[in-house]
């Protein structure tokens, strides 16, 4: 340990920008972990990250099996029908064993834990979405200026 | 390893203030720990969480996650955060005389 004492973290602001299972979970786990430690947490969903809070999409999040060297699978195989669904179901089983909830339940848990959840306005407009398309746990649709306002005093983490 | 006398009992703790011997736990010890954690007087709501955590620990060998306290213990996550503010799973485990939760959720 260094001799310098650092003040404890008080707030995190996490950006979730990817829509695959492996793109969404790290941000959710970090936000929830912050709340579990008594750290304030704000989560900003942007671009494909919006999939995590869209009523119609959130239960269909999948692992990317193509272009992902860490899958230890040639992309050509990853392209086979059902491969992504198979990898997803394997991963979900393991996550359930660790008590990591599915995305929809995770969003509910985060909101109940007091985390604030926001959707990115530019993406919402780009994809022609409306507040109704999102789960009720989403606090608001905000622009990047508001995101920075809400991140005052926070460490910003981009995922 | 620090030893402290609480409610007339010699209680062993680890460096982070978690009890290391669940057998030394009594309701009086729990109440004293709750005061130290800034929770104050334990209510029925607190006891529901503590009792569930202790029973579940006996079965599983590790402190339950927040999700488990909700789904199996029947305590809504919102209530858990109100009962044990600023770190519910950790605080509740501490007061229940269990070790520090090791999971990420």
């Amino acid at each position: 340990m260094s001799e310098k004492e650092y003040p404890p973290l008080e707030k995190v602001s996490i950006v979730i920008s990817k829509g695959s299972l492996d793109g969404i979970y790290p941000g959710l786990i970090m936000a929830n972990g912050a709340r579990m430690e008594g750290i304030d947490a704000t989560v900003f969903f942007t671009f494909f990250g919006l999939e995590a809070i869209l009523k119609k999409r959130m239960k269909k999040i999948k692992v990317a099996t193509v272009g992902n060297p860490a899958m230890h699978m040639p992309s050509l195989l990853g392209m086979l029908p059902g491969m992504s669904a198979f990898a997803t179901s394997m991963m979900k089983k393991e996550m359930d064993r660790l008590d990591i909830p599915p995305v929809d339940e995770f969003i509910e848990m985060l909101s109940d834990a007091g985390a604030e959840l926001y959707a990115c306005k530019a993406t919402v407009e780009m994809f022609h979405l409306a507040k109704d398309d999102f789960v009720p746990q989403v606090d608001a649709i905000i622009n990047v200026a508001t995101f920075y306002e809400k991140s005052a005093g926070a460490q910003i983490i981009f995922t | 390893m620090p030893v402290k006398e609480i409610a007339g009992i010699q209680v062993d703790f680890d460096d982070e203030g978690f009890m290391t011997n669940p057998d030394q736990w009594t309701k009086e010890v729990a109440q004293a720990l709750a005061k130290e954690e800034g929770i104050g007087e334990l209510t029925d709501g607190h006891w529901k969480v503590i009792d569930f955590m202790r029973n579940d620990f006996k079965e599983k060998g590790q402190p339950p996650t927040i999700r488990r306290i909700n789904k199996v213990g029947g305590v809504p996550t919102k209530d858990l955060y109100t009962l044990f503010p600023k770190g519910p799973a950790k605080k509740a485990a501490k007061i229940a005389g269990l070790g520090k939760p090791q999971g990420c959720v």
Side-chain angles (χ1 to χ4, degrees), chain B residues 48-96:
Chain B
K48 187 179 174 188
V49 176
I50 295 166
D51 290 341
F52 169 72
M53 288 184 86
R54 287 189 61 85
N55 287 332
D56 196 62
F57 182 83
K58 267 184 215 150
E59 207 180 297
K60 299 274 173 192
Q62 56 185 20
T65 61
I66 290 178
R67 187 188 188 207
R68 202 170 156 78
I69 296 171
N70 176 6
K71 292 217 143 178
V72 185
V75 181
T77 300
K78 253 187 204 170
D79 297 358
L80 189 67
Y81 273 88
T82 315
L83 289 166
F84 301 93
K86 295 258 161 199
K90 221 164 78 172
K91 270 197 183 170
K94 197 175 249 185
I95 294 166

